Amino acid sequence: MTTKVKKPRKTREKPPRKFAVCDSETDPFVFGRVPQPFIWGFYDGETYEQFTDTTKFVEYIQDKDMILYAHNGGKFDWHFLLDYLTPGQEIMFINGRIAQAKIGECELRDSFNILPMPLAAYQKDEISYAIFEAGEREKPENWKKITDYLYTDCLYLYQLVSAFIDRHGLRLTQAGAAMKRFENVYGIKAPESSAEFFDEMRPYYYGGRVQCFEKGV
């Protein structure tokens, strides 16, 4: 007599969510004037696109099921897209910046929350912002410099975000990545605080410099 053993059904792994980066170039900052974007760049590791119209840029990203990062976007770039955000959604703010929001299928995130440093600390090309003024930026030689500058900004940001995701996954913040790393290294759940503990310790807590001089067990 033979017994048939039912084979377990193979589960199809969910593919990792795609991500891309973007950046905008705006009028130079002048007292009393609200700068407006005049060009957007988009890069997903394979395709680079530029848009001189914000609406066209939004139409390009809104149907993409991906995470789109902009560096310091929560305090700058995303504010130019407020009128395009999906109505009725909950927008996440962290330290006064838009950390997470959506336009259609596209999720907007601020890469500063995972990489809290200026892009120039990694790599950034130099350019004179005087050529960003209307009347100057249209000149062919200036437009070439601006578009090249925008492309390399997107490229450098993609390299940084890609390296972070390869190591930590699609974490929303650096703190969240650190907690997950703690759990993976020590095999225990990261300790959690409580409102009662916070209220008890708050009078004695002052923010300051934290530096690891030596690491180990």
Side-chain angles (χ1 to χ4, degrees):
M1 181 178 178
T2 59
T3 303
K4 291 184 177 180
V5 179
K6 189 176 181 180
K7 294 182 179 180
R9 182 184 296 175
K10 291 183 179 180
T11 57
R12 186 176 297 176
E13 291 187 6
K14 188 177 180 180
R17 196 168 181 197
K18 294 181 179 180
F19 75 94
V21 301
C22 72
D23 190 20
S24 67
E25 302 301 347
T26 71
D27 305 316
F29 291 101
V30 175
F31 181 76
R33 178 176 72 182
V34 178
Q36 293 298 319
F38 61 87
I39 188 170
W40 292 82
F42 170 96
Y43 183 58
D44 64 3
E46 296 180 356
T47 302
Y48 177 72
E49 300 286 350
Q50 288 186 163
F51 304 85
T52 55
D53 183 285
T54 298
T55 300
K56 294 293 184 184
F57 170 66
V58 171
E59 290 173 350
Y60 181 78
I61 67 172
Q62 64 185 357
D63 295 326
K64 296 184 181 296
D65 182 13
M66 62 166 45
I67 297 172
L68 183 62
Y69 292 92
H71 206 56
N72 201 34
K75 288 195 172 182
F76 191 67
D77 307 80
W78 299 153
H79 288 259
F80 299 123
L81 305 181
L82 294 179
D83 291 340
Y84 300 94
L85 297 183
T86 302
Q89 67 174 302
E90 288 188 10
I91 300 174
M92 181 180 290
F93 289 87
I94 298 177
N95 293 331
R97 71 176 63 244
I98 300 172
Q100 189 178 42
K102 293 197 75 175
I103 294 179
E105 296 296 316
C106 186
E107 180 183 330
L108 310 180
R109 289 191 186 183
D110 188 342
S111 56
F112 195 86
N113 287 322
I114 58 173
L115 301 163
M117 64 181 194
L119 188 57
Y122 171 66
Q123 191 170 354
K124 192 173 179 70
D125 296 346
E126 294 185 1
I127 196 169
S128 169
Y129 290 103
I131 68 172
F132 284 49
E133 283 286 1
E136 289 294 322
R137 61 187 180 230
E138 292 83 3
K139 296 177 180 178
E141 65 276 15
N142 289 342
W143 188 250
K144 176 70 165 55
K145 292 177 182 178
I146 291 169
T147 54
D148 287 349
Y149 177 77
L150 178 59
Y151 167 71
T152 55
D153 266 6
C154 290
L155 176 63
Y156 301 150
L157 178 58
Y158 186 88
Q159 291 171 348
L160 280 170
V161 172
S162 181
F164 182 93
I165 291 174
D166 286 346
R167 185 170 185 179
H168 301 291
L170 290 167
R171 305 297 167 192
L172 182 63
T173 65
Q174 189 183 69
M179 288 297 185
K180 195 64 181 178
R181 178 69 175 168
F182 177 93
E183 294 174 359
N184 291 338
V185 170
Y186 295 103
I188 59 174
K189 185 172 177 58
E192 295 182 2
S193 184
S194 66
E196 293 75 17
F197 180 81
F198 178 85
D199 291 339
E200 182 181 355
M201 294 293 121
R202 183 68 185 89
Y204 313 104
Y205 175 79
Y206 293 88
R209 175 173 174 172
V210 178
Q211 181 176 353
C212 176
F213 292 101
E214 185 177 352
K215 60 183 181 180
V217 178

